[in-house]
Structure formats: C-alpha cells, structure tokens
Amino acid sequence: VQLVESGGGLVQPGGSLRLSCAASGFTFDDYAMGWVRQAPGKEREFVAAINWSGSSTYYADSVKGRFTISRDNAKNTMYLQMNSLKPEDTAVYYCAVHPGGSSSSYWNTYAYDYWGQGTQVTVSS
C-alpha cells in the first residue's frame, strides 16, 4: 500500500489549498478513506472521510462548511479542497485508508490502517 499526499504549502488566512492523495497497491474503490491532521504538540485530529463510492462524506465540526472531501476512483486519488483557511488549520495533513465497518468509526483516527507521509499546510500572514 502506498499513499502519497501533495498540494500543501504556505497560504494566507482566508486562502485556499487543494490536497491530493494518490493511492496504489490496493483496490482503491473497495475502501473508505480519510484525512487526518496533526499540529505541533497536539494529537492527531480527524478532518474528513469519504465512503468507497464517494456518495457519503463526513467532516469534523471544525472544518464543516469550509473543507470538501472527494475522490476519483478512476484515478485512484482522493482530494481535500480547503477554503477559508485559518491559522488553526496549520498542521501536517495525512491521508489514510479505513479498513471497513461502521461509519461511526471514521472519526476515530486509530481506526485507520495505512497512512501517507503527510503534507505540511501552514496558514499565516
């Protein structure tokens, strides 16, 4: 399993970024996927998840209405469109594979099996 995130960078407050997660080594459209972030000195935090088909999405309250998760199963790629970014969104963002089961476990960062290397997002003026 290989997950490669890209698209991070430095952006001013109120700006936008689009993260991508390219997946390989497994049957991508068999699995739900998620985005998790970790800020310096803090625990990993659930950001968003999407079911295998893309028909259902789930968001942390802190990003709801600003972030949009999506996937393109034909390209084995997941995305996170981040708008109206705030300094508190600064973190390393990871994509991860959810092994299956109830959607209630999507919010549990320990439920994810495989992780990418992460991409840094810094929101600062």
Side-chain angles (χ1 to χ4, degrees), residues 75-96:
K75 296 182 178 179
N76 284 2
T77 303
M78 178 177 66
Y79 305 97
L80 186 68
Q81 177 66 44
M82 305 186 295
N83 299 329
S84 302
L85 282 160
K86 305 175 181 180
E88 52 263 44
D89 295 318
T90 295
V92 177
Y93 283 70
Y94 300 89
C95 67

Side-chain angles (χ1 to χ4, degrees), residues 26-102:
F26 66 106
T27 306
F28 183 67
D29 56 7
D30 276 352
Y31 294 92
M33 299 286 295
W35 287 98
V36 174
R37 67 187 181 187
Q38 187 167 24
K42 294 189 176 182
E43 294 282 325
R44 283 187 174 179
E45 175 190 18
F46 168 79
V47 175
I50 188 166
N51 73 338
W52 67 273
S53 67
S55 62
S56 296
T57 56
Y58 310 81
Y59 296 95
D61 287 343
S62 57
V63 308
K64 200 173 294 183
R66 300 187 297 122
F67 291 10
T68 302
I69 189 172
S70 62
R71 65 191 295 164
D72 184 337
N73 286 345
K75 296 182 178 179
N76 284 2
T77 303
M78 178 177 66
Y79 305 97
L80 186 68
Q81 177 66 44
M82 305 186 295
N83 299 329
S84 302
L85 282 160
K86 305 175 181 180
E88 52 263 44
D89 295 318
T90 295
V92 177
Y93 283 70
Y94 300 89
C95 67
V97 182
H98 193 278
S102 171

